[in-house]
Amino acid sequence: MMGSLIKYIKLFIYSWVFCIAFLLLIGAVISTVSFFTSGEFKFPFDQVLRAVFFGFVGGSTISLAAILFKLLDWYRSRKDKKV
């Protein structure tokens, strides 16, 4: 029981880090393209906060969906064994 809980905690942390890093990367690419077009590198702090917030939301959603699908598979396999 404790081992599966640790796996799910690792899943949450990994998905949060991945989503935050991906959103920061997207912001950096957009700022770089803006730098080449206008000559100014703009990467505001609000963009970083937005990436962190939406990274937590997206990472939580990904993790909860994975847990939900695993529970559905477990329920269906258990249901099929009874028939």
Side-chain angles (χ1 to χ4, degrees):
M1 179 69 182
M2 193 63 165
S4 63
L5 182 65
I6 291 174
K7 287 180 186 178
Y8 290 129
I9 291 172
K10 286 181 183 178
L11 176 66
F12 267 102
I13 292 171
Y14 174 74
S15 62
W16 286 338
V17 169
F18 175 77
C19 288
I20 291 170
F22 186 70
L23 290 172
L24 287 173
L25 178 69
I26 289 173
V29 168
I30 291 171
S31 296
T32 304
V33 169
S34 173
F35 172 73
F36 287 128
T37 58
S38 68
E40 290 183 60
F41 187 77
K42 298 178 186 175
F43 196 74
F45 185 68
D46 291 339
Q47 178 67 26
V48 174
L49 292 178
R50 188 178 304 126
V52 170
F53 176 75
F54 284 114
F56 277 123
V57 171
S60 298
T61 305
I62 291 168
S63 298
L64 289 175
I67 292 169
L68 179 68
F69 291 143
K70 181 160 178 74
L71 287 174
L72 285 172
D73 288 341
W74 174 77
Y75 176 73
R76 287 182 182 164
S77 68
R78 188 172 168 206
K79 185 177 168 184
D80 290 340
K81 287 180 184 177
K82 287 185 178 179
V83 172

